[in-house]
Amino acid sequence: MKTTNKSKKIRIMTIVLIILFAVLAALAVIAIVRRIIYQNQLKLQENIYDNLRIEAPSSSSGTVASPIHDFDELAAENPDIYSYITVPGTQVDYPVLQNKERDYYLNRNLDLSQGYPACLYTNPENAKDYSDYITVIYGHNMKNKTMFGSLHSYDDEAFFKENNTFEIETRDALYKYQIFAAVNYNDDYIPQYYNVKSYDSVSSFITSMKEEGTKKTPDYFDTENEPSDGDKIVVLSTCIGGQDDRRLLVVGKLVDTVMYSSGSMTN
Protein backbone atom coordinates (compact mmCIF):
# COMPACT_ATOMS: atom_id res chain seq x y z
CA MET A 1 0.00 0.00 0.00
CA LYS A 2 2.78 2.40 0.90
CA THR A 3 4.58 1.56 -2.34
CA THR A 4 1.41 2.28 -4.33
CA ASN A 5 0.93 5.66 -2.63
CA LYS A 6 4.58 6.52 -3.22
CA SER A 7 4.27 5.59 -6.87
CA LYS A 8 1.20 7.78 -7.21
CA LYS A 9 3.02 10.72 -5.63
CA ILE A 10 5.95 10.23 -8.00
CA ARG A 11 3.61 10.13 -10.99
CA ILE A 12 1.79 13.25 -9.79
CA MET A 13 5.07 15.09 -9.22
CA THR A 14 6.29 14.01 -12.65
CA ILE A 15 3.09 15.28 -14.26
CA VAL A 16 3.34 18.57 -12.35
CA LEU A 17 6.96 19.00 -13.43
CA ILE A 18 6.07 18.24 -17.05
CA ILE A 19 3.25 20.80 -16.95
CA LEU A 20 5.54 23.33 -15.27
CA PHE A 21 8.27 22.87 -17.88
CA ALA A 22 5.68 23.08 -20.65
CA VAL A 23 4.34 26.34 -19.24
CA LEU A 24 7.84 27.76 -18.88
CA ALA A 25 8.70 26.70 -22.41
CA ALA A 26 5.51 28.28 -23.74
CA LEU A 27 6.26 31.51 -21.89
CA ALA A 28 9.80 31.50 -23.29
CA VAL A 29 8.46 31.02 -26.81
CA ILE A 30 5.91 33.82 -26.30
CA ALA A 31 8.67 36.11 -25.01
CA ILE A 32 10.87 35.32 -28.02
CA VAL A 33 8.00 35.89 -30.45
CA ARG A 34 7.12 39.19 -28.77
CA ARG A 35 10.77 40.24 -28.93
CA ILE A 36 10.93 39.41 -32.64
CA ILE A 37 7.70 41.33 -33.29
CA TYR A 38 9.05 44.27 -31.26
CA GLN A 39 12.36 44.32 -33.16
CA ASN A 40 10.55 44.07 -36.50
CA GLN A 41 8.28 46.94 -35.48
CA LEU A 42 11.29 49.09 -34.62
CA LYS A 43 12.94 48.28 -37.96
CA LEU A 44 9.72 48.99 -39.84
CA GLN A 45 9.27 52.38 -38.21
CA GLU A 46 12.93 53.34 -38.64
CA ASN A 47 12.68 52.43 -42.34
CA ILE A 48 9.72 54.79 -42.62
CA TYR A 49 11.74 57.55 -40.98
CA ASP A 50 14.74 56.82 -43.19
CA ASN A 51 12.59 57.33 -46.27
CA LEU A 52 11.48 60.72 -44.95
CA ARG A 53 14.98 62.00 -44.19
CA ILE A 54 16.84 64.20 -46.64
CA GLU A 55 20.23 65.86 -46.64
CA ALA A 56 20.02 69.57 -45.92
CA PRO A 57 21.40 71.72 -48.78
CA SER A 58 24.57 73.67 -48.08
CA SER A 59 24.56 77.44 -48.28
CA SER A 60 27.45 79.87 -47.94
CA SER A 61 25.12 82.43 -46.37
CA GLY A 62 23.72 79.97 -43.82
CA THR A 63 20.17 80.54 -45.04
CA VAL A 64 17.82 78.68 -47.36
CA ALA A 65 15.06 80.06 -49.56
CA SER A 66 12.60 77.18 -49.24
CA PRO A 67 11.85 74.34 -46.79
CA ILE A 68 14.51 71.68 -46.48
CA HIS A 69 11.90 68.95 -45.99
CA ASP A 70 8.99 68.09 -48.24
CA PHE A 71 6.04 68.76 -45.97
CA ASP A 72 3.55 67.50 -48.54
CA GLU A 73 5.32 64.14 -48.45
CA LEU A 74 5.42 64.23 -44.66
CA ALA A 75 1.70 65.04 -44.48
CA ALA A 76 0.97 62.18 -46.88
CA GLU A 77 2.69 59.84 -44.44
CA ASN A 78 0.70 61.26 -41.52
CA PRO A 79 -1.34 64.50 -41.58
CA ASP A 80 -0.45 65.21 -37.94
CA ILE A 81 3.17 65.90 -38.93
CA TYR A 82 3.66 69.67 -38.74
CA SER A 83 7.38 70.18 -38.12
CA TYR A 84 10.77 68.47 -38.21
CA ILE A 85 13.54 68.53 -35.61
CA THR A 86 17.27 67.87 -36.02
CA VAL A 87 19.75 67.83 -33.11
CA PRO A 88 23.33 67.70 -34.46
CA GLY A 89 25.59 65.24 -32.63
CA THR A 90 22.66 62.94 -31.81
CA GLN A 91 20.38 60.58 -33.73
CA VAL A 92 17.47 63.02 -33.38
CA ASP A 93 16.32 63.68 -36.94
CA TYR A 94 12.56 63.16 -36.96
CA PRO A 95 9.19 64.70 -37.77
CA VAL A 96 7.19 66.18 -34.88
CA LEU A 97 3.46 65.45 -34.66
CA GLN A 98 0.48 66.90 -32.85
CA ASN A 99 -3.04 65.54 -32.44
CA LYS A 100 -6.01 67.23 -30.79
CA GLU A 101 -5.93 64.42 -28.19
CA ARG A 102 -3.27 64.86 -25.52
CA ASP A 103 -0.49 62.21 -25.57
CA TYR A 104 -2.06 60.61 -28.64
CA TYR A 105 1.38 59.65 -29.96
CA LEU A 106 2.79 58.42 -26.68
CA ASN A 107 2.27 54.83 -27.85
CA ARG A 108 1.36 55.29 -31.52
CA ASN A 109 3.70 55.11 -34.48
CA LEU A 110 3.68 57.13 -37.69
CA ASP A 111 1.41 54.55 -39.33
CA LEU A 112 -0.88 54.68 -36.24
CA SER A 113 0.09 51.17 -35.16
CA GLN A 114 0.28 50.72 -31.39
CA GLY A 115 3.60 50.38 -29.58
CA TYR A 116 7.19 51.58 -29.77
CA PRO A 117 9.13 53.58 -30.80
CA ALA A 118 6.05 55.84 -31.13
CA CYS A 119 6.66 59.44 -32.28
CA LEU A 120 8.06 62.76 -31.24
CA TYR A 121 5.11 64.99 -30.45
CA THR A 122 3.78 68.12 -28.81
CA ASN A 123 0.45 68.37 -27.04
CA PRO A 124 -2.44 70.63 -28.10
CA GLU A 125 -1.59 73.24 -25.44
CA ASN A 126 1.25 74.30 -27.74
CA ALA A 127 0.87 76.27 -30.98
CA LYS A 128 2.20 74.63 -34.13
CA ASP A 129 4.11 77.72 -35.26
CA TYR A 130 6.41 77.66 -32.19
CA SER A 131 5.13 81.06 -31.12
CA ASP A 132 4.64 79.95 -27.49
CA TYR A 133 7.17 81.01 -24.92
CA ILE A 134 7.46 77.38 -23.77
CA THR A 135 7.06 74.51 -26.21
CA VAL A 136 7.54 70.93 -24.99
CA ILE A 137 8.43 68.10 -27.37
CA TYR A 138 8.10 64.57 -25.97
CA GLY A 139 9.85 61.39 -27.11
CA HIS A 140 10.72 57.96 -25.75
CA ASN A 141 14.13 57.09 -24.36
CA MET A 142 14.73 54.12 -26.66
CA LYS A 143 17.56 51.72 -25.82
CA ASN A 144 18.71 51.68 -29.45
CA LYS A 145 19.15 55.47 -29.22
CA THR A 146 16.31 56.25 -31.65
CA MET A 147 13.62 58.85 -30.86
CA PHE A 148 14.99 60.80 -27.86
CA GLY A 149 17.24 57.99 -26.61
CA SER A 150 20.38 59.70 -27.89
CA LEU A 151 19.55 62.87 -25.92
CA HIS A 152 21.20 61.10 -23.01
CA SER A 153 24.50 62.05 -24.62
CA TYR A 154 23.81 65.30 -22.76
CA ASP A 155 24.41 63.42 -19.50
CA ASP A 156 28.04 64.18 -20.27
CA GLU A 157 29.11 67.77 -19.55
CA ALA A 158 31.68 67.86 -22.34
CA PHE A 159 29.05 66.80 -24.87
CA PHE A 160 26.69 69.45 -23.49
CA LYS A 161 29.30 72.15 -24.05
CA GLU A 162 30.26 70.99 -27.54
CA ASN A 163 26.78 70.27 -28.96
CA ASN A 164 24.65 73.29 -28.14
CA THR A 165 22.27 73.82 -31.05
CA PHE A 166 19.24 72.26 -32.72
CA GLU A 167 16.85 73.21 -35.52
CA ILE A 168 13.11 72.87 -36.01
CA GLU A 169 11.50 73.35 -39.40
CA THR A 170 7.88 74.01 -40.40
CA ARG A 171 6.38 74.78 -43.80
CA ASP A 172 6.92 78.47 -43.14
CA ALA A 173 10.14 78.78 -41.20
CA LEU A 174 13.37 77.29 -39.93
CA TYR A 175 13.88 77.94 -36.21
CA LYS A 176 17.36 77.78 -34.70
CA TYR A 177 17.88 77.17 -30.98
CA GLN A 178 20.85 77.40 -28.64
CA ILE A 179 20.89 74.80 -25.88
CA PHE A 180 21.44 76.36 -22.46
CA ALA A 181 20.33 73.58 -20.09
CA ALA A 182 20.36 69.79 -19.68
CA VAL A 183 18.64 68.87 -16.45
CA ASN A 184 17.30 65.89 -14.50
CA TYR A 185 13.79 67.24 -13.77
CA ASN A 186 10.63 65.96 -12.11
CA ASP A 187 7.83 64.39 -14.16
CA ASP A 188 5.35 67.25 -13.71
CA TYR A 189 3.27 68.01 -16.78
CA ILE A 190 4.92 71.34 -17.64
CA PRO A 191 1.96 73.02 -19.46
CA GLN A 192 -0.15 72.36 -16.38
CA TYR A 193 2.16 74.30 -14.09
CA TYR A 194 3.41 76.99 -16.48
CA ASN A 195 1.46 79.17 -18.86
CA VAL A 196 3.18 78.40 -22.16
CA LYS A 197 1.81 81.64 -23.65
CA SER A 198 3.46 83.89 -21.05
CA TYR A 199 7.09 84.99 -20.94
CA ASP A 200 6.86 85.31 -17.15
CA SER A 201 6.53 81.52 -17.07
CA VAL A 202 9.95 81.12 -18.71
CA SER A 203 11.68 82.77 -15.77
CA SER A 204 9.71 80.70 -13.26
CA PHE A 205 10.39 77.51 -15.16
CA ILE A 206 14.14 78.16 -15.32
CA THR A 207 14.18 78.80 -11.57
CA SER A 208 12.39 75.49 -11.06
CA MET A 209 14.87 73.67 -13.31
CA LYS A 210 17.77 75.02 -11.30
CA GLU A 211 16.17 73.88 -8.05
CA GLU A 212 15.35 70.42 -9.42
CA GLY A 213 18.71 70.05 -11.11
CA THR A 214 20.56 70.11 -7.81
CA LYS A 215 18.83 66.88 -6.76
CA LYS A 216 20.25 64.55 -9.41
CA THR A 217 22.52 64.64 -12.43
CA PRO A 218 22.72 65.94 -15.09
CA ASP A 219 22.58 69.53 -13.92
CA TYR A 220 24.16 71.66 -16.62
CA PHE A 221 23.39 75.31 -17.30
CA ASP A 222 25.02 77.73 -19.70
CA THR A 223 24.25 80.76 -17.58
CA GLU A 224 25.74 83.17 -20.11
CA ASN A 225 23.11 82.14 -22.67
CA GLU A 226 20.01 81.84 -20.54
CA PRO A 227 16.81 83.36 -22.02
CA SER A 228 16.08 87.03 -21.51
CA ASP A 229 14.03 89.86 -23.03
CA GLY A 230 11.14 87.70 -24.19
CA ASP A 231 13.13 84.76 -25.56
CA LYS A 232 11.11 81.67 -26.47
CA ILE A 233 12.28 78.21 -25.44
CA VAL A 234 11.76 74.63 -26.60
CA VAL A 235 12.01 71.77 -24.09
CA LEU A 236 13.01 68.30 -25.31
CA SER A 237 11.67 65.86 -22.74
CA THR A 238 12.38 62.14 -22.33
CA CYS A 239 12.46 59.42 -19.67
CA ILE A 240 15.42 58.44 -17.52
CA GLY A 241 16.12 54.74 -17.11
CA GLY A 242 15.45 53.50 -13.58
CA GLN A 243 13.96 56.85 -12.51
CA ASP A 244 10.25 56.64 -13.26
CA ASP A 245 9.49 59.95 -11.56
CA ARG A 246 12.19 61.94 -13.38
CA ARG A 247 12.69 63.36 -16.89
CA LEU A 248 15.74 64.49 -18.84
CA LEU A 249 15.11 67.96 -20.21
CA VAL A 250 17.34 69.43 -22.92
CA VAL A 251 16.31 73.05 -23.35
CA GLY A 252 17.14 75.59 -26.03
CA LYS A 253 16.25 79.23 -26.62
CA LEU A 254 15.26 80.61 -30.01
CA VAL A 255 18.16 82.57 -31.52
CA ASP A 256 17.34 82.82 -35.26
CA THR A 257 14.39 82.37 -37.59
CA VAL A 258 14.51 81.90 -41.34
CA MET A 259 11.13 82.83 -42.82
CA TYR A 260 10.63 80.94 -46.07
CA SER A 261 7.95 83.31 -47.36
CA SER A 262 10.49 86.13 -47.55
CA GLY A 263 13.74 84.19 -47.40
CA SER A 264 15.05 86.64 -44.81
CA MET A 265 16.45 85.97 -41.39
CA THR A 266 15.25 87.66 -38.21
CA ASN A 267 16.47 87.34 -34.65
Side-chain angles (χ1 to χ4, degrees), residues 137-169:
I137 302 177
Y138 302 93
H140 284 301
N141 172 26
M142 300 299 294
K143 290 182 179 180
N144 65 357
K145 304 300 182 182
T146 58
M147 295 296 107
F148 273 171
S150 62
L151 285 186
H152 280 279
S153 296
Y154 286 96
D155 292 345
D156 178 71
E157 187 173 10
F159 185 90
F160 168 75
K161 291 179 178 179
E162 295 170 3
N163 300 270
N164 60 357
T165 63
F166 63 86
E167 295 182 346
I168 297 175
E169 185 179 46

Side-chain angles (χ1 to χ4, degrees), residues 20-261:
L20 178 60
F21 283 127
V23 170
L24 291 175
L27 291 174
V29 170
I30 291 172
I32 292 172
V33 170
R34 286 181 174 175
R35 184 65 180 175
I36 292 173
I37 293 173
Y38 172 74
Q39 292 294 344
N40 287 339
Q41 178 74 340
L42 293 184
K43 290 180 181 178
L44 172 63
Q45 295 302 317
E46 193 58 26
N47 285 338
I48 293 174
Y49 284 118
D50 283 341
N51 291 332
L52 295 176
R53 294 187 178 106
I54 63 173
E55 186 175 348
S58 60
S59 171
S60 59
S61 64
T63 65
V64 290
S66 60
I68 298 169
H69 295 89
D70 186 338
F71 281 90
D72 288 333
E73 181 183 355
L74 293 172
E77 185 67 41
N78 186 314
D80 283 339
I81 296 175
Y82 75 96
S83 60
Y84 203 102
I85 182 170
T86 304
V87 184
T90 76
Q91 293 185 37
V92 179
D93 185 28
Y94 296 106
V96 182
L97 293 78
Q98 186 181 115
N99 186 273
K100 62 182 179 180
E101 179 182 329
R102 181 188 289 180
D103 292 330
Y104 183 81
Y105 285 103
L106 178 64
N107 291 307
R108 282 187 178 88
N109 295 299
L110 272 183
D111 58 6
L112 301 185
S113 60
Q114 295 281 339
Y116 294 114
C119 299
L120 303 187
Y121 69 93
T122 59
N123 274 327
E125 288 90 346
N126 275 134
K128 292 182 179 181
D129 61 358
Y130 292 88
S131 60
D132 293 333
Y133 284 101
I134 302 176
T135 298
V136 187
I137 302 177
Y138 302 93
H140 284 301
N141 172 26
M142 300 299 294
K143 290 182 179 180
N144 65 357
K145 304 300 182 182
T146 58
M147 295 296 107
F148 273 171
S150 62
L151 285 186
H152 280 279
S153 296
Y154 286 96
D155 292 345
D156 178 71
E157 187 173 10
F159 185 90
F160 168 75
K161 291 179 178 179
E162 295 170 3
N163 300 270
N164 60 357
T165 63
F166 63 86
E167 295 182 346
I168 297 175
E169 185 179 46
T170 67
R171 285 181 179 271
D172 301 318
L174 179 66
Y175 302 99
K176 301 185 178 184
Y177 295 85
Q178 181 169 12
I179 295 170
F180 67 90
V183 181
N184 184 322
Y185 195 68
N186 62 50
D187 63 349
D188 287 346
Y189 185 61
I190 294 170
Q192 178 180 345
Y193 291 91
Y194 300 93
N195 181 1
V196 298
K197 312 293 184 184
S198 169
Y199 173 69
D200 291 339
S201 294
V202 175
S203 178
S204 300
F205 179 55
I206 291 174
T207 298
S208 177
M209 281 197 296
K210 288 181 176 180
E211 292 173 351
E212 284 288 325
T214 60
K215 298 177 181 179
K216 296 185 178 184
T217 58
D219 175 25
Y220 307 133
F221 277 87
D222 180 0
T223 55
E224 294 183 359
N225 289 297
E226 286 185 17
S228 62
D229 301 327
D231 286 336
K232 296 178 172 65
I233 67 172
V234 165
V235 181
L236 312 182
S237 175
T238 193
C239 295
I240 299 175
Q243 300 180 38
D244 294 341
D245 60 341
R246 308 293 295 180
R247 307 281 297 183
L248 170 65
L249 305 184
V250 176
V251 191
K253 70 174 183 179
L254 181 65
V255 291
D256 284 305
T257 302
V258 177
M259 298 302 301
Y260 291 138
S261 58

